[in-house]
Amino acid sequence: MPRNSNAVTVMRIAYFSCQMPYPATHGGLVDDWARLNALKAAGADLALVTWYAEQGRGLPQAHVDALRGVASVVHALPITGSWPDRFKRLARLARWPSHVASRIPNGAELAEIWRSLDAFKPQAVWQDAVYPAWLAQAAAARYGVPLFYRSHNIEHRYMRGQVSRATSWRDRIAWSLNLPHLKRVEFDTWRKARVAFDISMDDLNWWREQGFTQGAWLPPLVQPEKANTLLAPLDHEPEFDVAYLGNLRTPNNVEGVLWLLKEVWPRLRQQHPALRLQVAGSAPSPAIVQAVAESRNVVLLENPPDVAPVLRNARVLVNPIFGGSGVNVKSVEMLYAPGRLVSAPQGVAGLPAHVAACFAIASEPEAFAQAIERALQAGPLTDGEDLLARQRARAEFGYARAGEVLRVMRSHL
């Protein structure tokens, strides 16, 4: 891909993403993939370093091609389950959280990364999330350029919450291995970052209370193509009355969906037996599969290839999540759908008040069921103050923010 030599509009950024951003199959990936595309559209030349779980098949060529569509340099590093790699990671646990330890490249990988980045000559380093810390910060030091950090959560607190909510010993052990040293690495990243772009206004205020003043709010961005698809006029009546869309495996999401199925849905069906619910998302846990099977008028849609048909196929969208930090990307996408919105408090955490006001918010089963019932009675969102409020909220998540980010970054070069 040829580089634009216009020094006013182009900025060379070495971008370290902790997870394979394509295909964007859950909220964190949706956030990352949209940001990569928005930065490219705003005038960034990107060298992307990312990781993927190697399962013996390598990275599909279509995924490589998609990454090369947004970045002129691409390094996709495998995280393998081989015993030599496992032993290396275990040895690194003495100093690093497990998710950082698994993202420290071997000697050959590192030499290849330095070779291509030496030629790329980055002007800045972008560390997306805590976990690429070792390599991203080594790159910033090697090239003498500023480090910019994207914070997705107060990660050490988020991870403790996931451990406490894990429903199997295997998950509890896996999440627990990431806790040692995580707070130290996270605080150290904030200290080294020239600017920390935080997904959440609430989390940003927490970091300011810890003495960090270089933070700035950067919410999830919604790709224009996705926004246009979600906003298109409906050509049919929604098939479902209520829908949830989100990953179905992380402990906080599993907890919330089980609460919806076991505590809220029976209350709704007691008054309205014909109501239909769709639960959609990636990699559903056995507990969710069982709970759906035991529920009446509930359909499980596993691994939907496209979120737009799901979000447009229900009269009311719900986010019954109680644990976590950061911002629920699912809530941001819900703003573009035609249905009414109901959420638990955590589902709107980190968002500005005028955005959160687009949701009916409830935390108790009876109140949540009543909020859904009122939303169903309110009917389609076609005009009036509710629609105007939704339009004002959507304006926060446009690609124009990527241009603002680049202006901030250039001011620190």
Side-chain angles (χ1 to χ4, degrees):
M1 182 181 299
R3 283 197 204 144
N4 186 333
S5 60
N6 187 335
V8 175
T9 59
V10 173
M11 183 177 184
R12 296 187 305 278
I13 302 171
Y15 188 112
F16 295 84
S17 173
C18 73
Q19 54 190 342
M20 178 57 59
Y22 183 89
T25 54
H26 63 75
L29 299 182
V30 168
D31 178 41
D32 201 0
W33 184 240
R35 185 165 46 261
L36 283 162
N37 280 274
L39 287 171
K40 179 179 185 291
D45 187 6
L46 301 169
L48 174 64
V49 181
T50 187
W51 287 262
Y52 69 98
E54 172 54 64
Q55 298 175 332
R57 299 186 297 271
L59 194 62
Q61 187 59 44
H63 297 184
V64 176
D65 292 343
L67 298 180
R68 288 176 176 161
V70 297
S72 55
V73 175
V74 173
H75 289 278
L77 306 179
I79 299 175
T80 76
S82 70
W83 284 110
D85 281 354
R86 289 182 181 182
F87 286 135
K88 288 178 184 176
R89 290 199 291 271
L90 284 171
R92 292 169 183 155
L93 293 181
R95 186 177 177 190
W96 300 103
S98 64
H99 290 4
V100 176
S102 63
R103 288 166 176 81
I104 297 176
N106 63 39
E109 291 170 337
L110 187 59
E112 179 62 18
I113 290 167
W114 291 151
R115 183 195 65 76
S116 62
L117 290 185
D118 287 351
F120 181 78
K121 295 181 173 57
Q123 297 168 287
V125 166
W126 182 282
Q127 179 185 322
D128 213 75
V130 176
Y131 302 117
W134 187 93
L135 187 54
Q137 292 169 28
R142 179 182 179 92
Y143 300 109
V145 299
L147 174 74
F148 298 93
Y149 173 49
R150 164 58 163 187
S151 177
H152 294 254
N153 292 291
I154 304 172
E155 195 70 20
H156 64 280
R157 292 171 55 177
Y158 170 79
M159 195 59 57
R160 282 202 305 269
Q162 297 292 53
V163 171
S164 69
R165 290 178 167 84
T167 55
S168 72
W169 65 266
R170 186 184 297 273
D171 286 345
R172 191 168 292 114
I173 290 173
W175 291 96
S176 295
L177 286 174
N178 202 43
L179 286 175
H181 312 294
L182 181 55
K183 183 176 182 180
R184 170 184 61 80
V185 173
E186 187 172 18
F187 270 74
D188 190 49
T189 297
W190 271 83
R191 279 189 288 268
K192 291 178 178 178
R194 192 70 57 87
V195 179
F197 293 99
D198 203 301
I199 193 172
S200 164
M201 298 186 85
D202 293 346
D203 292 358
L204 183 57
N205 289 332
W206 187 88
W207 285 108
R208 286 172 177 162
E209 291 171 358
Q210 312 311 306
F212 295 100
T213 60
Q214 82 280 36
W217 184 51
L218 176 58
L221 307 179
V222 176
Q223 291 183 273
E225 300 84 355
K226 179 180 286 187
N228 291 337
T229 300
L230 288 170
L231 292 169
L234 286 173
D235 57 5
H236 61 85
E237 286 295 316
E239 182 181 359
F240 295 94
D241 300 288
V242 184
Y244 167 86
L245 173 66
N247 89 67
L248 299 174
R249 66 185 182 279
T250 55
N252 59 330
N253 283 12
V254 172
E255 175 194 53
V257 173
L258 293 179
W259 178 82
L260 173 69
L261 293 172
K262 296 180 178 182
E263 302 295 334
V264 177
W265 190 241
R267 287 174 163 84
L268 273 169
R269 288 199 69 259
Q270 189 173 27
Q271 299 298 322
H272 308 280
L275 290 181
R276 302 191 71 216
L277 166 66
Q278 183 171 64
V279 174
S282 59
S285 73
I288 286 180
V289 173
Q290 180 179 346
V292 168
E294 294 172 350
S295 301
R296 294 288 187 91
N297 290 12
V298 180
V299 174
L300 175 63
L301 178 61
E302 300 185 29
N303 306 309
D306 186 1
V307 301
V310 178
L311 293 174
R312 289 166 54 81
N313 200 26
R315 296 162 62 198
V316 178
L317 300 173
V318 297
N319 189 356
I321 305 304
F322 291 90
S325 63
V327 162
N328 267 209
V329 176
K330 66 175 75 67
S331 291
V332 173
E333 293 189 329
M334 287 162 63
L335 289 164
Y336 290 77
R340 301 279 176 169
L341 310 177
V342 178
S343 178
Q346 184 60 43
V348 297
L351 296 171
H354 72 280
V355 176
C358 294
F359 296 75
I361 301 171
S363 57
E364 298 298 327
E366 186 64 35
F368 205 91
Q370 290 173 357
I372 293 173
E373 186 173 16
R374 288 192 297 270
L376 290 168
Q377 293 170 351
L381 190 73
T382 55
D383 54 25
E385 284 301 313
D386 289 345
L387 179 59
L388 290 174
R390 190 81 69 88
Q391 291 169 341
R392 286 193 293 269
R394 293 167 185 155
E396 298 285 359
F397 310 102
Y399 266 24
R401 283 196 179 272
E404 298 171 8
V405 167
L406 290 184
R407 285 191 290 274
V408 170
M409 294 174 71
R410 286 192 183 98
S411 72
H412 288 275
L413 298 183

